[in-house]
Amino acid sequence: MDKRIDGKAFAEGLRARVASIAADFEGRAGRQAGLAVVLVGEDPASQVYVRNKGKQTLACGMASFEHKLPAETPEADLLALVEQLNVDPAVDGILVQLPLPAHVNESKVIAAINPDKDVDGFHVVNAGRLATGLPGFVPCTPLGCVMLLKDRFGSLAGLDAVVIGRSNIVGKPMAQLLIAESCTVTVAHSRTRDLPEVVRRADIVVAAVGRPEMVKGDWLKPGATVIDVGINRVPAGEGKTRLVGDVDFASAAPVAGAITPVPGGVGPMTIAVLLRNTIVAAHRNAGIALDESGL
Ligand code: GUN
């Protein structure tokens, strides 16, 4: 089997399944499932994400509501918009693109989102549901990583997993998901002592630190599975740039048993899982049963 885990191909398949379910939903509910995306300011990376989200939402047969607000939008106006989306029956999922401008309290805005429309899984209610094993919404990137792992290996039970990074968006939910899959989980971070030695114990390594090519091949147990969440733009000479992960692919690939490339690994999964979460939200909000096992 190819060592490379092809997230691009898996994401395409997932989007096709979502599109088929979305068509069925439209027939049953008499309306399309809808995703609202809120972008505040002009961060170039965020603009690219939001454009891609909008395009892929439409391509899956769902309605896309984009709200682009100026960087100086007062926090109160943003909270009022979130409240309007919370009560709008055409909106099943709400995503407020992060980062928000410095004058806006991100936690306050996320807390204002109806947890049952929180398709990003960032609300504390959804973090709590994940931690306690209740149905809710799980952050898209870590859920995508677990989907890739389960697709490759079936059961993950009993495997040693090391998650490098402890963010609320990736590291912590990733650890929760791996615990739920019966892995033995270690969460490493910037203060971890002897990180290479910790990583060497792992059957599964998830790198989510945002440091270009930090994890080296000689840190890995031979045959380990490497999931690289990093997307770092680095200089490539002659004024050009290239994308690299948090893993040094050149040294890691010969040692690993399986590895996600950057680009084309975890990256394409995030939006596909967002669309998956949105169609799930639509069914829950409309009170229509959905077999989530194929999703
Ligand atoms: N900024 C970068 N990635 C994400 C994401 O997945 N969701 C949101 N809301 N903002 C982001």
Side-chain angles (χ1 to χ4, degrees), residues 46 49 53 95-99 120 122 140-141 169 270:
S46 291
Y49 280 134
K53 280 172 196 161
L95 180 149
V96 178
Q97 185 68 27
L98 304 181
D120 253 334
F122 291 170
C140 302
T141 302
I169 294 180
T270 300

Side-chain angles (χ1 to χ4, degrees), residues 139-162:
C140 302
T141 302
L143 182 54
C145 293
V146 171
M147 284 180 177
L148 292 176
L149 285 166
K150 287 178 75 174
D151 179 59
R152 189 86 170 189
F153 298 109
S155 171
L156 309 178
L159 295 176
D160 283 317
V162 170

Side-chain angles (χ1 to χ4, degrees), residues 16-42:
R17 295 197 293 284
V18 170
S20 145
I21 295 167
D24 179 69
F25 176 85
E26 190 175 349
R28 291 215 240 170
R31 66 170 181 88
Q32 287 189 318
L35 173 64
V37 176
V38 180
L39 173 63
V40 186
E42 262 125 51

